[in-house]
Amino acid sequence: LARHDPIAADDVKAALLSWPSRPKLSVLALKELAQRSRPLLAVQALECMRTQQLEVNIFHYNTVIGACGKAGHWRLALSVFTSLSNFEVEPTDSTFNAAISACEKGGRWQLALHLLNWMPEAKVVADGISYNAAISASRKGSRWQLAIELAGCMRE
């Protein structure tokens, strides 16, 4: 943690000590980092949680992926997303939505569509948020016809 933000890293390290007895506190702490636009620190906290063998579940991952996306770190969001399989955590629609939104914000319409198309294979049902993020990514990529087709799929 200390390599990116020594002051905040010390706070996170201290908080980690109380998380095993209060697991919901870890999600709240990650959400706080997300709200403060501190995605790198959120990723580092998640890594520390795994290293310390603390409970890490899909809510933690969703929060961190969302934090990365909101801050414009689409590569980091996808890195966290792809690490799910290493830790036997199954993605949910919220996980995919956060990753698709990160790609949309990063102007990566192809990756957003790839994630949307991957959802059925992962046995996850795309919802309105999934399609809206993919449509927005398509529009930002000037792929208007694709955006219209996706809107049509959403109605089906």
Side-chain angles (χ1 to χ4, degrees):
L1 284 172
R3 62 183 172 209
H4 292 293
D5 192 342
I7 297 170
D10 289 340
D11 294 338
V12 172
K13 284 179 186 177
L16 276 172
L17 298 175
S18 68
W19 290 356
S21 61
R22 299 169 63 198
K24 289 184 181 178
L25 187 60
S26 59
V27 175
L28 293 174
L30 291 172
K31 284 182 180 180
E32 181 69 22
L33 292 172
Q35 289 172 348
R36 292 181 183 219
S37 295
R38 307 299 293 270
L40 297 175
L41 197 54
V43 170
Q44 291 170 348
L46 186 66
E47 290 171 359
C48 279
M49 290 173 64
R50 289 191 306 243
T51 301
Q52 297 298 316
Q53 298 180 344
L54 300 177
E55 176 188 348
V56 179
N57 60 41
I58 197 62
F59 299 108
H60 298 103
Y61 281 96
N62 292 349
T63 301
V64 172
I65 293 167
C68 294
K70 287 176 186 165
H73 294 279
W74 64 271
R75 282 187 181 100
L76 190 56
L78 290 183
S79 176
V80 174
F81 179 87
T82 58
S83 75
L84 288 170
S85 62
N86 296 337
F87 301 102
E88 298 178 5
V89 178
E90 295 296 323
T92 64
D93 58 340
S94 296
T95 315
F96 273 95
N97 292 345
I100 293 169
S101 293
C103 293
E104 178 263 327
K105 286 176 181 55
R108 303 297 183 204
W109 65 271
Q110 300 98 328
L111 289 173
L113 292 179
H114 175 74
L115 288 167
L116 182 68
N117 290 328
W118 183 17
M119 291 177 79
E121 184 179 325
K123 296 179 179 60
V124 176
V125 177
D127 60 12
I129 296 169
S130 314
Y131 280 100
N132 282 329
I135 289 167
S136 180
S138 299
R139 282 195 326 249
K140 284 184 178 179
S142 298
R143 304 292 187 223
W144 300 103
Q145 185 61 39
L146 186 55
I148 292 167
E149 289 173 20
L150 287 169
C153 290
M154 204 166 110
R155 289 189 206 114
E156 295 173 358

